[in-house]
Amino acid sequence: ISSLILMSDYSKYIWYNSNIMPWEEANTHVMSHVLHYGSGVFEGIKCYDTEQGPSIFRLDDHINRLFQSATLYRMKINTSKEEIINGCKEIVKINDLSSCYIRPIIFYGYDTLGVNPKGCPLNIAIASFYWGAYLGDEGVEKGVNTTISPYQKISHKSMPTIAKASGQYMNSLLSVTEAKSRGYDEAILLNVEGNIAEGSGQNLFYVKDGVVHTNDKDSSILLGITRDSILTICKDFDIKTKVHSYSLDNLLTADEVFFTGTASEVTPIRSIDDNLISGGNPGPITLQLKNYYMDIVMGKNQNYNDWLSMLNYDISLKNS
Ligand code: PMP
């Protein structure tokens, strides 16, 4: 239940095409292009309640990826990155939130219903709202039970998997609903080559003999910002990493396996199709990386202050 957006979690306002408006009024017509073809690109960003006040984690990187996703889908955006970055900050402040999720989305609205979105307006909305642990409090703590999805991950040759695009998530939806229907917490998708791609909404890492492994965009994954954070943290803390394509066998024989994602943070994987990983308990390197990551997002490691956008009014004035 903690991973659902409950009615009580809804916020008061939404940023919609450069205006702040009541949550209930930020609507679009049922004949909007996005509703029929999934023609939107979006981001998932987190704001943490740090000792220095609310802090949005890697905001600029998320907005850069949003624009990259838009470029890959040939969307022409007339709004600047700065305006969207400021919109994200504004919508957190105006909703009076400290710990929350931020969801910017750029989508084709209502005009033509041809697949070619010619003439359809590009709308931009930014929502902020409270969201509990994506994989549940217990999952984050003790690890999640996963299954290999019977649905293949869409190939980066069919769709740009490095883009975070609405329609691409039907692939994720199929795999996660199927996994849940068999009692698992989350799905792991194989790519067209039969190697590991990623989770339905997470990147995947494994640890073997003290080395941290993950794959790259050639494996048809989204290049997660948390993935990048973990690779950077490993480098800074002298933990060896190897980025390469890998197979299910690598995972099943790994010492530790974990998911990364903005919403999932660092979540240990307890089992894959009932095969226990590291005896069913989170492994030491997973826990170490999780602690480093949580300290950083919570503003407890000064070396990573560049990754934080502080919303404290005085601090943001000083920084601007
Ligand atoms: N892969 C997919 C398919 C995702 O939806 C996400 C979540 N955005 C990730 C990976 C992790 O990306 P990030 O760390 O940027 O949240």
Side-chain angles (χ1 to χ4, degrees), residues 62 65 164 169 198 200-203 222 224-226 260-262:
H62 279 284
R65 186 171 68 183
K164 201 167 167 60
Y169 277 81
E198 58 184 344
S200 72
Q202 306 85 2
N203 290 119
L222 179 75
I225 288 167
T226 321
T260 64
T262 299

Side-chain angles (χ1 to χ4, degrees), residues 6-69:
L6 305 172
M7 279 303 267
S8 55
D9 294 335
Y10 284 12
S11 307
K12 277 198 168 145
Y13 302 104
I14 297 241
W15 185 104
Y16 197 20
N17 294 330
S18 304
N19 299 309
I20 300 285
M21 59 172 68
W23 179 282
E24 299 76 18
E25 288 171 26
N27 301 316
T28 191
H29 197 274
V30 290
M31 297 310 285
S32 293
H33 198 273
V34 65
L35 208 55
H36 298 257
Y37 307 118
S39 53
V41 294
F42 67 99
E43 271 305 316
I45 311 173
K46 234 178 142 169
C47 180
Y48 289 90
D49 187 16
T50 76
E51 273 168 17
Q52 300 83 25
S55 156
I56 306 179
F57 189 61
R58 299 195 66 172
L59 175 59
D60 291 15
D61 295 313
H62 279 284
I63 302 308
N64 283 335
R65 186 171 68 183
L66 179 69
F67 274 69
Q68 178 188 278
S69 301

Side-chain angles (χ1 to χ4, degrees), residues 210-283:
V211 180
V212 171
H213 300 251
T214 196
N215 49 11
D216 212 339
K217 63 176 184 214
D218 302 339
S219 296
S220 296
I221 61 164
L222 179 75
L223 289 173
I225 288 167
T226 321
R227 170 190 174 278
D228 179 74
S229 303
I230 292 299
L231 288 173
T232 305
I233 293 166
C234 284
K235 202 167 151 224
D236 294 349
F237 287 90
D238 281 332
I239 299 171
K240 277 203 196 109
T241 58
K242 216 173 149 197
V243 177
H244 61 105
S245 155
Y246 62 87
S247 68
L248 176 58
D249 290 348
N250 293 115
L251 282 190
L252 293 175
T253 56
D255 301 326
E256 307 174 28
V257 184
F258 60 89
F259 277 137
T260 64
T262 299
S264 308
E265 297 166 332
V266 176
T267 296
I269 290 182
R270 193 180 162 272
S271 68
I272 303 172
D273 283 324
D274 307 324
N275 299 291
L276 290 185
I277 305 292
S278 66
N281 297 307

Side-chain angles (χ1 to χ4, degrees), residues 103-161:
R103 165 58 55 86
I105 181 165
I106 306 178
F107 64 93
Y108 283 113
Y110 172 48
D111 186 76
T112 173
L113 209 56
V115 174
N116 179 3
K118 195 169 174 283
C120 292
L122 264 183
N123 295 303
I124 308 182
I126 313 173
S128 66
F129 48 91
Y130 174 76
W131 207 357
Y134 186 74
L135 291 167
D137 292 323
E138 200 184 318
V140 171
E141 208 56 49
K142 295 189 178 153
V144 289
N145 296 313
T146 65
T147 183
I148 300 297
S149 181
Y151 294 102
Q152 210 169 52
K153 170 79 196 196
I154 43 166
S155 164
H156 65 89
K157 292 175 188 166
S158 299
M159 282 175 158
T161 57

